[in-house]
Amino acid sequence: MTSTALPTTDDLRARARAALGNIGVDVAEGGGFPARTPLTGEHLFGLTAATEADTEDAVAASCAAFVIWRTTPAPRRGELVRRLGELLREHKGDLADLVTIEAGKIRSEALGEIQEMIDICHFAVGLSRQLYGRTIASERPGHRLAETWHPLGVVAVISAFNFPAAVWSWNTAVALVCGDTVIWKPSELTPLISLACDHLLARAAEEVGAPRDVHRLLLGDRAVGERLVDDRRIALVSATGSTRMGREVGPRVAARFGRSLLELGGNNAAIVTPSADLDLAVQGIVFAAAGTAGQRCTTLRRLIVHRDIADTLIERLTAAYERLPIGNPFDDTTLVGPLISTTALDTMHGALARVRAQGGKILAGGNRRLAEAAPAAAYTEPVLVHVGEQTDVVREETFAPILYVLAYDTLDEAIALHNDVPQGLSSSIFTRDQREAEVFLSAAGSDCGIANVNIGTSGAEIGGAFGGEKDTGGGRESGSDAWKSYMRSATNTINYSTGLPLAQGVSFL
Ligand code: UN1
């Protein structure tokens, strides 16, 4: 199905300008840094990218702001994030418009992204009174050991187009209550939503009396990111993107003994066992595989189905895929918007050609849509592909809505297939058998940072830690105790006795 006609680029430009205007951002046009929309694939505005001097200025300002911010009491830092959350709520509709215009998300998912930002602000405000350290029993009389958490420094946040605002907020809301200052280098593909978020945070800072430079935005290309990565004054580089990007960032930050927090590619799978509730499984699979046009790092990319139910499940999925409404993401009936670019579509077609050559068979979908109405845009049917084994293309992350389906006979075999990819972000099992579910969640089960039962791989809540193992980079963001990555700990030994006993029974003097 194709939903209603696409808006024109002029409509989208006007809508973006209106949303930005409501938020309070004046778009300064005339620069050579483009803002585009994947809805038509066309140019919206010419913005201005940060120069090398701008980057230097941002780092210096951020270091100066850190000196003030680190000694501001944490609950007062929470006030800034509380106000940011209120402003996000007030402008939810406008922000969601910008997410749809720049990232192509359907309305409900764009609103969901802003909700995720509001949620992390709430979480971070609570956290601002819960940056707990432990008191530890000392082996020495009249001594106390304590663990203290201190702000870390300047945090560089490098984010991707697919969650252009939420991933920034997970990092920024938590970093700010932790007493860090933030420099944000967003994806080149989503400058408008970045300007909006930066503006709202600046407004919140002004209103609560926080230093303006607790946050700086740098629009720009790879060179801006590289300067931040190599700058010794940046204590933590939190980068979301491809494994290829992380392979460059990680060693460069490590070479200067900086910290990095990497949230890289996923190649997420679901196992469907014979006892699964198939109604629920079909819903969960279609949302996880086709939602966001397959452009979440948590998107379901591999389905490992028990051989006895494979035909039935494939039939039901094929029927669901054939009914997916594809097109204008502003239309409430649409479930699949555009891919971010025609380059992404070419990559998808390249992967499909390779998997066919490796014996894969297309079961449903895969055709381009709306090519006449919008030749520069990249609308496509999500695609379901049957594969006999996990060939190299199946083991790679292709950032597009391709779901590879494989059959298995024993749970051990399914788990082995599940883990036999380089990435380790998200995973799930559909089963009504508790033993199977527990095996999947156990140390010998899924090797991912996220392991679910009877829901798909995507759509995590902010309360849990988010991130994954292996080529996914190992970082944890968002909830749980991910905040510890944004702080440094100190172990304190306090002697309140009149003697000086040494540890380990050592005697001296
Ligand atoms: C991402 O795709 O980079 O769990 C983040 C999810 C979302 C976040 C995805 N909460 O799918």
Side-chain angles (χ1 to χ4, degrees), residues 116 162-163 167 170 240 263 295-298 458-460 466:
E116 192 163 350
N162 66 325
F163 271 81
V167 169
W170 300 348
T240 301
E263 206 263 278
Q295 300 172 112
R296 290 194 192 209
C297 54
T298 49
S458 66
F466 184 93

Side-chain angles (χ1 to χ4, degrees), residues 401-418:
I402 305 176
L403 180 60
Y404 300 113
V405 187
L406 288 145
Y408 79 89
D409 295 300
T410 66
L411 186 62
D412 282 352
E413 182 196 351
I415 291 174
L417 279 169
H418 177 277

